[in-house]
């Protein structure tokens, strides 16, 4: 007959024998100690115990959280426990989980993540913090939240590793990503994610079929990985197949697909798998790569450069031939912004080059509204701002509501 030894129980056939320590003693081991075998004759199993002290372990949660176990009263001194995110597992006991209530996120237990041992009566407390949303951004299948203190939460499609947590599974609840960083900017698609932190670090994850992760290969990246570690990043713009960044000192770096010439590296049409500097003779203010097939760049002095797909004339050169090199457009204008909707249509906004402050109201290019105030009259409520609009404008323009 087969027998199995498991902790303080022995099962022989359909019979289970349990060894129970007396008060003041703790379970140790069986003799013999092999975990399974077959009865081949007369056998004696000896249960061994040792002197030990038992402690009470209590689990609590700060409001509004809760835990699924309140107390264990029989934890032997020296028993190991493991803390992993919002779960604590004590050896030999069922895991204890802290809930994740709506509008709050879990910031940790009162002990460090990792392993430890019970040395006395112990209380584990789960701590939470209220989520205050500063921005919400979404694609077709992914939603990201950024809190007012720079924390990042995401949910939705995760099959390409685009949540950067090492998994390729979908999320049906908002979970935090990059918990050790303060996020200032995110650029993402359904399959890729790029983040810039307040101290200028760049992190990326997700699909990498064209080398758009800048890792030197085409293997998908399932954990947020820092790129361009020697640079301080000001802006990132990404598509499903390309990634572009601008540094604080105006350098431009790109990687990914070059099938339409959108990497601006000549006529090779070869995908770029590492971040490579472009337009090194210019100081760059902004880059756009919507749709993945077109790249537009604005310099600090208002010059506009473009490359990539031109099948619908979106390069504005009078042809429909793709452009392999960054080429200046609108050379007589000072450009303030550019938008290329899905890579098919390009719109450019210019400026007259003057700098206007918070107290100025102007019609740019119309002699500064000299002798005219008609456009200031009769507007009614044609422009409406809800509280979130006002908050975003004040935050990103760094001004008060009165100044706005």
């Amino acid at each position: 007959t087969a027998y199995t030894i498991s902790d303080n129980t022995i099962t022989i056939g359909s019979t289970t024998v349990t060894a129970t320590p007396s008060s003041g003693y703790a379970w140790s081991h069986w003799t013999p100690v092999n975990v399974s075998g077959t009865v081949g004759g007369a056998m004696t199993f000896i249960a061994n115990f040792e002197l030990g002290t038992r402690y009470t372990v209590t689990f609590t949660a700060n409001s509004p959280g809760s835990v699924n176990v309140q107390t264990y009263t029989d934890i032997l001194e020296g028993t190991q426990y493991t803390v992993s995110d919002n779960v604590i597992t004590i050896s030999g006991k069922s895991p204890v989980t802290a809930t994740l209530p709506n509008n709050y996120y879990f910031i940790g237990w009162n002990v460090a993540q990792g392993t430890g041992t019970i040395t006395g009566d112990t209380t584990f407390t789960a701590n939470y913090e209220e989520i205050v949303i500063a921005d919400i951004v979404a694609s077709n299948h992914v939603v990201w939240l950024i809190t007012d203190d720079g924390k990042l939460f995401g949910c939705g499609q995760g099959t390409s590793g685009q949540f950067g947590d090492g998994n390729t599974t979908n999320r049906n609840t908002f979970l935090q990503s990059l918990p050790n960083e303060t996020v200032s900017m995110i650029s993402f698609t359904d399959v890729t994610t790029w983040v810039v932190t307040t101290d200028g670090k760049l992190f990326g994850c997700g699909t990498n079929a064209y080398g758009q992760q800048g890792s030197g290969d085409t293997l998908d990246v399932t954990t947020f990985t820092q790129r361009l570690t020697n640079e301080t990043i000001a802006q990132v713009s990404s598509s499903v197949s390309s990634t572009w960044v601008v540094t604080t000192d105006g350098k431009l770096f790109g990687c990914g697909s070059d099938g339409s010439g959108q990497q601006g590296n000549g006529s090779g049409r070869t995908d770029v798998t590492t971040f490579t500097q472009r337009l090194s003779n210019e100081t760059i203010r902004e880059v756009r790569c919507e749709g993945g097939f077109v790249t537009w760049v604005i310099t600090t002095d208002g010059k506009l450069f473009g490359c990539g797909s031109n099948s619908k004339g979106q390069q504005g050169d009078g042809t429909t031939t793709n452009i392999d090199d960054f080429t200046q457009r609108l050379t007589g204008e000072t450009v303030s912004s550019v938008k290329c909707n899905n890579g098919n249509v390009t719109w450019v906004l210019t400026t007259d080059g003057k700098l206007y402050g918070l107290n100025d109201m102007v019609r740019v290019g119309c002699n500064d509204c000299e002798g005219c105030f008609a456009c200031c009259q009769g507007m009614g409520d044609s422009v409406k701002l809800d509280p979130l609009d006002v908050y975003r404008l004040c935050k990103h323009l760094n001004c008060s509501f009165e100044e706005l």
Side-chain angles (χ1 to χ4, degrees), residues 63-371:
S63 178
S66 62
V67 290
N68 63 323
V69 173
Q70 301 298 319
T71 305
Y72 288 129
T73 60
D74 59 345
I75 305 301
L76 181 66
E77 182 178 15
T79 297
Q80 187 177 77
Y81 66 85
T82 301
V83 181
S84 178
D85 293 329
N86 63 323
V87 179
I88 291 182
T89 304
I90 295 180
S91 179
K93 299 294 184 180
S94 298
V96 178
T97 301
T99 60
L100 301 175
N102 290 334
N103 300 323
Y104 285 79
Y105 64 91
F106 178 76
I107 61 174
W109 298 90
N110 59 328
V111 294
Q113 296 278 308
T115 59
T117 55
I118 301 298
T119 59
D121 290 336
T122 303
T123 298
F124 294 105
T125 302
N127 298 299
Y128 302 84
E129 187 171 315
E130 188 175 9
I131 298 174
V132 179
I133 304 301
D135 205 0
I136 304 172
V137 287
S139 62
N140 289 334
H141 302 295
V142 179
V143 180
W144 288 99
L145 307 179
I146 300 178
T147 67
D148 63 343
D149 56 354
K151 294 182 176 65
L152 180 67
F153 296 83
C155 67
Q157 178 177 293
T159 51
S160 297
Q162 56 267 54
F163 291 117
D165 57 1
N167 297 312
T168 55
T169 55
N170 295 339
R171 287 181 177 180
N172 57 17
T173 58
F174 280 105
L175 297 177
Q176 189 174 3
S177 296
L178 275 178
N180 297 320
E181 302 291 340
T182 304
V183 174
S184 62
M185 175 185 293
I186 185 170
S187 178
F188 70 104
T189 68
D190 278 338
V191 293
T192 58
T193 308
W194 286 97
V195 166
V196 178
T197 65
T198 53
D199 54 355
K201 295 197 288 281
L202 175 71
F203 294 89
C205 60
T207 191
N208 195 25
Y210 302 95
Q212 62 266 48
Q213 291 294 324
S215 57
D217 55 39
T218 55
L219 301 176
D220 288 354
V221 179
T222 60
T223 59
F224 272 112
T225 304
Q226 188 175 356
R227 307 295 183 193
L228 289 172
T229 55
N230 295 325
E231 303 289 343
T232 304
I233 309 303
Q235 185 222 344
V236 59
S237 179
S238 64
S239 69
V240 295
S241 58
S242 300
T243 307
W244 289 92
V245 297
V246 177
T247 66
T248 54
D249 56 354
K251 294 197 288 284
L252 175 70
F253 294 87
C255 62
S257 174
D258 193 36
S260 299
Q262 62 265 47
Q263 289 294 321
N265 62 352
S267 59
R269 301 285 175 86
T270 301
D271 294 348
V272 180
T273 61
T274 58
F275 278 103
T276 304
Q277 187 174 0
R278 307 293 183 198
L279 286 174
S280 57
N281 294 326
E282 301 288 343
T283 304
I284 310 304
R285 189 185 78 224
E286 183 180 0
V287 62
R288 295 281 188 179
C289 65
E290 289 95 342
F293 303 106
V294 175
T295 307
W296 287 102
V297 170
I298 302 174
T299 66
T300 53
D301 55 354
K303 295 198 291 281
L304 176 70
F305 293 86
C307 63
S309 176
N310 197 24
S311 59
K312 296 178 175 60
Q314 59 266 51
Q315 290 292 326
D317 64 346
T319 76
T320 55
T321 303
N322 291 351
I323 307 298
D324 296 313
D325 293 298
F326 277 107
T327 305
Q328 188 175 356
R329 305 296 180 198
L330 291 173
T331 54
E333 302 289 346
T334 303
V335 174
S336 63
S337 64
V338 61
K339 180 71 174 177
C340 190
N341 185 37
N342 294 323
N344 294 325
V345 179
T346 303
W347 288 96
V348 176
L349 180 66
T350 66
T351 174
D352 63 357
K354 293 186 175 66
L355 178 65
Y356 297 101
L358 293 172
N359 298 318
D360 296 317
M361 175 176 284
V362 299
R363 292 194 298 182
V364 177
C366 296
N367 298 320
D368 297 339
C369 297
E370 183 177 357

Side-chain angles (χ1 to χ4, degrees), residues 374-383:
C375 65
C376 304
Q377 305 295 313
M379 295 300 292
D381 60 358
S382 61
V383 178

